[in-house]
Amino acid sequence: MQPIRALGLGLLASSLVTAASCGTTSAIVAGSDAQPPPPEAAAPSDAPTTPPPPPPRRPNILFVLSDDQRADSVACMPQLLAQLAAKGTSFRNSFSATPLCCPGRTSILTGKYAHNHGVETNGDIEDGDPVKGVSGNESFNTNGNENLVFTRWLHDAGYRTGLIGKYLNGYTDVYTQNRGYVPPHWDEWRAFLGAEYYNVTMVERGLGEAKAKAVCYETNLTDVKGLSPCDPVTDERRTGAEHYSTDVLAGHAKSFIQRAAQDKVPFFLYFAPKAPHGPFLSPARYQPDHGAVAFTPTAMQRLGACPLFEWANRPVSFLEEDVTDKPDWVQNEVPKTQVGRDKMRVQQDETRKLQLASVLATEDALAELVKTLEAAGEAENTIIVYSADNGFGWGEHWWGKKNCTYDACSRVPLIVYDPRHPQANRVVDTLAMNIDMAPTFAELAGVTPPPGTKMNGKSLAGLVTGASGELSRAQVLT
């Protein structure tokens, strides 16, 4: 399919010249050769001409998408709250239509429910799929979603597009079958092959490069729990540093922003770190022993004041005693012995603390990107959006993972800061969904989706800018 190109249509101005000028009379004598005098030329003006105003700048968009982060956990991210929420709009009721990585991310990219985009599972044994099947990325391609993503519309409108971090589950399978494969409509591509915190391999194709290569960032740490080797398809190894994956991504993102600012092109950057997905590891500056649930004083300065870290006021649904009114998929999670129950309690406490610590590096990355935008003169023209692909259970109804229809799994953070329309800790109660991201990005960028585009989502741009009120949505589908 040929890409859609913006066509500039020149307007042909036509003027009709009449025989007589308005406001003057010339006598013409019959039979005379006399001709009317030529019109008097206007005297040249010394007044300077006013140049036409420059066209409005399209805003840049930085989209930060975390992995498996429940909505309430942003309360433990003071830098995020200070940089975005304090000046932007927080959506109190934002939900993932399918609270699982690959279906959720596809809904973000296409603006559609899973039953319409066709990606209904991750297709791997991770995250609850009982057996490995067709990967989510393969389903994504088979159902024709590659050319239905919102980045196509932005790219065709002149945006420089980049993805740095996690793409879709099963990208490893697709890349292994087709070395060098990079999805269309991305100018810069640095995507995980099997997302890891350490020894992460990424498929990289920089701006203007014709061919992608697989680069492994090997760590110099030796204590990392369950450390995986570089992916077998690795073309290049870079060693000699900690290479915590979020920090690696942040370095690439900074370079992307600097190049776009230098080239004076609007950009859309999709920044997708692994945190706080399992195995919930943090960089050594926050977690000195990767085999222990213990954190540095620097980490505790930011986490210790957060009520969720110790979670004294747990909901009554936390490891509830009576689950006879719950569906089978909940009852099957409940351990049969007291020993099993005690173990579950310890596991959930550890998971919660490890997750909260792991997003500190995401905060660090965001702070660095904001500094980069300021240094490049782009901070006042860059919209920043923070969200997650799905939530995560911390033991409510005995659920200690994602992929459930309870609030913990389906409610996700959504904070939008548009410096062109600053707000002051604005909180809205509109029911928002991940399917709203595609139409929202299009409207914020001033881009119209191609004719015939079908989406289930609605644009939230009016709520962000203050141009409109609540959406007419009474319920969400999950």
Side-chain angles (χ1 to χ4, degrees), residues 8-29:
L9 300 179
L11 296 180
L12 177 63
S14 300
S15 60
L16 299 179
V17 181
T18 59
S21 300
C22 179
T24 60
T25 304
S26 299
I28 302 178
V29 181

Side-chain angles (χ1 to χ4, degrees), residues 432-453:
M433 301 187 72
N434 57 354
I435 57 174
D436 298 332
M437 291 293 94
T440 298
F441 289 139
E443 185 172 351
L444 289 173
V447 173
T448 302
T453 299

Side-chain angles (χ1 to χ4, degrees), residues 129-423:
D129 288 343
V131 294
K132 179 174 173 57
V134 177
S135 74
N137 195 169
E138 290 174 299
S139 295
F140 181 89
N141 293 358
T142 300
N143 284 281
N145 292 298
E146 281 184 309
N147 287 311
L148 300 178
V149 295
F150 69 82
T151 48
R152 174 187 175 182
W153 319 332
L154 271 61
H155 185 270
D156 290 348
Y159 270 78
R160 179 174 295 175
T161 55
L163 183 144
I164 298 177
K166 181 174 178 178
Y167 178 46
L168 298 172
N169 296 67
Y171 177 54
T172 301
D173 298 333
V174 175
Y175 185 83
T176 301
Q177 297 165 11
N178 183 11
R179 294 288 182 93
Y181 165 76
V182 172
H185 319 303
W186 298 97
D187 293 303
E188 186 161 334
W189 182 261
R190 302 182 189 275
F192 289 148
L193 278 183
E196 301 288 348
Y197 285 107
Y198 290 103
N199 282 4
V200 61
T201 300
M202 298 170 58
V203 174
E204 300 190 1
R205 190 193 66 192
L207 180 66
E209 295 178 354
K211 186 177 180 181
K213 61 183 176 181
V215 180
C216 181
Y217 294 83
E218 290 186 300
T219 184
N220 58 10
L221 300 180
T222 58
D223 72 323
V224 180
K225 178 177 63 176
L227 186 64
S228 300
C230 293
D231 194 280
V233 301
T234 294
D235 300 310
E236 179 182 332
R237 296 170 185 261
R238 299 179 186 175
T239 59
E242 181 183 356
H243 282 156
Y244 181 74
S245 64
T246 303
D247 296 343
V248 172
L249 299 181
H252 287 308
K254 289 169 62 176
S255 297
F256 176 91
I257 291 171
Q258 290 165 344
R259 287 191 295 270
Q262 182 178 2
D263 295 341
K264 300 185 184 304
V265 295
F267 67 80
F268 177 89
L269 176 56
Y270 186 126
F271 182 78
K274 179 179 175 69
H277 193 289
F280 322 116
L281 299 181
S282 297
R285 63 184 179 273
Y286 298 134
Q287 188 182 11
D289 180 355
H290 290 92
V293 187
F295 311 101
T296 63
T298 302
M300 292 310 300
Q301 286 177 358
R302 288 157 67 178
L303 293 173
C306 180
L308 287 175
F309 190 73
E310 294 297 343
W311 211 20
N313 297 320
R314 304 174 196 229
V316 295
S317 61
F318 177 77
L319 304 185
E320 56 195 319
E321 291 295 329
D322 184 8
V323 293
T324 56
D325 61 334
K326 300 300 184 297
D328 289 344
W329 53 270
V330 170
Q331 297 188 38
N332 293 338
E333 293 290 310
V334 181
K336 306 306 180 191
T337 65
Q338 187 59 45
V339 172
R341 290 170 177 259
D342 292 343
K343 183 178 179 181
M344 179 77 165
R345 179 179 294 273
V346 172
Q347 287 176 339
Q348 291 309 305
D349 281 346
E350 291 181 347
T351 294
R352 184 184 70 256
K353 293 179 179 180
L354 289 167
Q355 276 201 313
L356 292 173
S358 71
V359 290
L360 296 180
T362 304
E363 280 194 292
D364 295 344
L366 180 58
E368 285 298 311
L369 297 185
V370 169
K371 290 179 183 178
T372 303
L373 289 167
E374 292 171 345
E378 295 292 337
E380 296 305 310
N381 194 47
T382 302
I383 301 167
I384 304 178
V385 180
Y386 187 93
S387 192
D389 54 0
N390 49 257
F392 202 87
W394 282 346
E396 298 98 328
H397 310 296
W398 294 92
W399 203 256
K401 48 192 173 182
K402 56 195 167 192
N403 203 16
C404 74
T405 50
Y406 285 116
D407 192 87
C409 296
S410 58
R411 189 184 296 265
V412 294
L414 178 57
I415 305 173
V416 185
Y417 170 49
D418 185 344
R420 306 168 306 165
H421 305 278
Q423 311 293 336

